Amino acid sequence: MIAAASTLLTGGRAATAETAEARTTTADGPLTSAVFRATHNSYSGNLGGARSSIASQLDQGVRFVELDIHDNGYATSRDYAVGHDSPGDEVDHAGNPASNLLRDWLGVVNSWSERHPDAAPIVVALDLKDDLTDNTSYAAGNLAALNDELTSVFGARLYRAEEYPATAGAPSVDALRGRVLAVISGHGGTRAAYKRDTGHDPAVAINGRGQVVEVHGSGGGDLWYWTGRYGSDGRVTWLRHGRYDSGVTPAVALNDNGDLVEVHQSQSATTLWYRVGRLSANGEITWSASRKYDDGVLPTIRFTDPAGTRLREIHRSQSSSQNWEWSGVLDVGAMAVTWSGNAKTADPRFDKATSTSGTSRVRVWTGADGPTPGQTLRVDTDRVAGERVRYPQVAFDEFQKGDSAELQQGALFYAAPAGEKAFVTAARQAGKLARAWGFDSAGDATDPLASYPATDRPFDGWYRDLLTASGAVE
């Protein structure tokens, strides 16, 4: 390990030539080789530590801050709340936002970054204290809402996880100056759900505008949807996600106006139900009530006319292999379908897992992607194959000691308590960004030092000396 410099920091900056040279070398090198000042429970200020305000921490060279967040009350406040064990718990408001709302705290980081465009990249770790997977819609505060909050607050300053090169070398610190990186930490199930989704019996529809709707069962009786946009690169960007009903074996049809009709079977009986939906430009769906239209199993549906008002539904009898059909006419204003012409048919049911519009094709299926579950939702298009149906990777997903292999897959950020020295050292040697939280004495140091030694006392002499000697980047 580098010997400690003989002088302390002045205003958060090293005063020795040796340290300045180390810092310059690190900044010119890849992000994964650098060391940065970091705080633990950064929102706690001088409660249970000596951190001061978020702005003061950044002024003094800290480039990693941690915010514990909760989803309590999201439906009312339309925001997450900062706090340790509960919203507001252990939050020091001195010099910090008066509220506990996450947007206000992110705004402090954004404003500071805007004023300091030459600063080394700031990492904001969001330690999820609640399970966000039970937030069944955007309005309830699911991960799509968290993504939108990050992008709306930080704008072009946000360096998205999907921008990080998958195969080429890591970008340099200097290349990322003035940028902000978000990392999702905390609740493991939510971190996994950010990287992939699982489901049963997926179905999909694409229209001439490139809008995509996917529906699937949970395997436990709930029905969920994803909406997305087919892009010029042939990939689907998924926008919104939510639970819309109960049942099994769903199918969906979508017209060019963004009107959709979904059909499914009830979970506990062989009854068939439908819903009408309206897809908005942001990917949100407004749903009608669920209405029964027949008995049977395994329903499928298609629009049959260019105007997108006439429908054909084909399902199988609940008591034999015979297929039956319905004709339908969509009433957009009433958000209802008038059904007629119920009869047997020799035609097969539609391929609900594949949809085409012009030359664009989308297919959904389930299958493991490396260590992910076998029911991982996957998508093929006419130009790409095997991608996951998942949230846009705006934030990085943290891998912590003891996590599953799927959370480790592709992870850049690793984290563990400061006492887990072997884990931290191995992560650094593997070219990862390693955070050691609860880093509260020089005895916690490893060789190489953690990328982010997250302390409660960033202004103590031992921490200043250690980070100065290690060439911490500002």
Side-chain angles (χ1 to χ4, degrees):
M1 190 174 295
I2 301 172
S6 59
T7 59
L8 299 179
L9 290 176
T10 303
R13 297 192 177 275
T16 66
E18 175 188 358
T19 304
E21 181 180 356
R23 194 207 284 93
T24 300
T25 302
T26 306
D28 287 342
L31 175 69
T32 48
S33 297
V35 173
F36 304 85
R37 293 171 180 81
T39 52
H40 171 239
N41 292 344
S42 311
Y43 56 90
S44 291
N46 292 329
L47 303 179
R51 308 171 193 82
S52 192
S53 67
I54 297 291
S56 293
Q57 292 173 42
L58 296 172
D59 284 341
Q60 296 297 316
V62 168
R63 295 295 177 264
F64 182 108
V65 295
E66 177 194 23
L67 302 175
D68 294 350
I69 64 171
H70 302 261
D71 61 2
N72 309 59
Y74 186 96
T76 301
S77 66
R78 290 293 189 268
D79 202 355
Y80 309 92
V82 174
H84 193 258
D85 291 333
S86 61
D89 179 48
E90 298 183 21
V91 176
D92 188 351
H93 293 286
N96 286 319
S99 82
N100 298 317
L101 297 179
L102 176 62
R103 184 176 295 272
D104 293 340
W105 289 75
L106 296 178
V108 171
V109 177
N110 182 61
S111 295
W112 191 95
S113 180
E114 183 178 22
R115 295 193 305 271
H116 301 83
D118 294 328
I122 301 168
V123 174
V124 179
L126 302 178
D127 190 342
L128 306 181
K129 295 300 185 180
D130 297 330
D131 181 358
L132 267 59
T133 66
D134 58 5
N135 297 344
T136 58
S137 68
Y138 182 93
N142 66 9
L143 286 161
L146 183 60
N147 267 353
D148 270 9
E149 182 155 336
L150 291 170
T151 56
S152 66
V153 170
F154 294 118
R157 269 182 287 280
L158 186 66
Y159 182 77
R160 300 161 67 109
E162 58 200 11
E163 296 179 61
Y164 195 86
T167 55
S172 70
V173 173
D174 284 344
L176 295 178
R177 287 190 179 276
R179 307 296 295 275
V180 177
L181 288 67
V183 176
I184 296 178
S185 180
H187 189 268
T190 304
R191 283 184 286 131
Y194 189 70
K195 294 168 69 76
R196 52 82 182 146
D197 193 18
T198 59
H200 296 253
D201 298 311
V204 72
I206 183 173
N207 67 15
R209 297 161 59 189
Q211 293 176 303
V212 179
V213 175
E214 184 274 346
V215 292
H216 63 270
S218 66
D222 291 324
L223 294 174
W224 291 78
Y225 72 88
W226 282 94
T227 65
R229 183 186 307 110
Y230 178 96
S232 59
D233 59 357
R235 288 179 162 81
V236 178
T237 298
W238 300 99
L239 303 173
R240 295 291 174 91
H241 178 45
R243 188 175 69 196
Y244 68 93
D245 210 333
S246 59
V248 295
T249 64
V252 65
L254 175 67
N255 68 22
D256 288 349
N257 297 319
D259 305 307
L260 60 103
V261 179
E262 179 273 350
V263 291
H264 63 270
Q265 178 187 335
S266 64
Q267 181 186 14
S268 57
T270 55
T271 54
L272 298 178
W273 300 74
Y274 82 94
R275 279 180 180 261
V276 174
R278 178 68 183 174
L279 180 61
S280 67
N282 64 9
E284 198 62 71
I285 297 177
T286 302
W287 293 97
S288 74
S290 185
R291 301 179 178 95
K292 181 184 174 182
Y293 67 95
D294 202 356
D295 295 307
V297 296
L298 304 174
T300 61
I301 192 165
R302 286 283 193 276
F303 280 106
T304 59
D305 67 320
T309 58
R310 297 190 176 277
L311 297 144
R312 188 185 186 200
E313 186 273 351
I314 304 177
H315 64 271
R316 197 177 75 190
S317 167
Q318 70 271 29
S319 56
S320 72
S321 60
Q322 177 64 54
N323 284 344
W324 289 76
E325 68 176 343
W326 282 96
S327 295
V329 177
L330 173 63
D331 184 332
V332 174
M335 296 191 75
V337 175
T338 300
W339 300 101
S340 64
N342 184 217
K344 294 179 180 179
T345 179
D347 290 345
R349 290 176 296 115
F350 298 114
D351 176 9
K352 69 173 190 174
T354 303
S355 181
T356 60
S357 178
T359 60
S360 302
R361 178 181 57 83
V362 179
R363 182 177 79 96
V364 290
W365 51 287
T366 59
D369 185 13
T372 71
Q375 291 303 129
T376 299
L377 292 168
R378 312 286 293 279
V379 58
D380 300 338
T381 74
D382 50 289
R383 284 187 277 171
V384 297
E387 296 202 334
R388 301 181 190 183
V389 178
R390 64 179 182 180
Y391 295 98
Q393 300 297 283
V394 170
F396 292 84
D397 218 346
E398 189 175 69
F399 169 68
Q400 298 182 0
K401 180 177 171 57
D403 280 343
S404 63
E406 68 168 320
L407 281 170
Q408 185 176 15
Q409 183 187 34
L412 174 65
F413 285 84
Y414 282 47
E420 298 288 350
K421 293 186 177 183
F423 178 88
V424 172
T425 300
R428 291 284 277 128
Q429 291 174 340
K432 307 297 182 179
L433 291 166
R435 172 171 69 111
W437 73 78
F439 195 100
D440 286 328
S441 80
D444 290 329
T446 53
D447 186 8
L449 187 64
S451 315
Y452 302 104
T455 184
D456 295 318
R457 311 188 70 87
F459 310 125
D460 282 5
W462 67 266
Y463 189 78
R464 290 176 179 258
D465 285 350
L466 177 64
L467 272 292
T468 298
S470 299
V473 181
E474 298 176 20

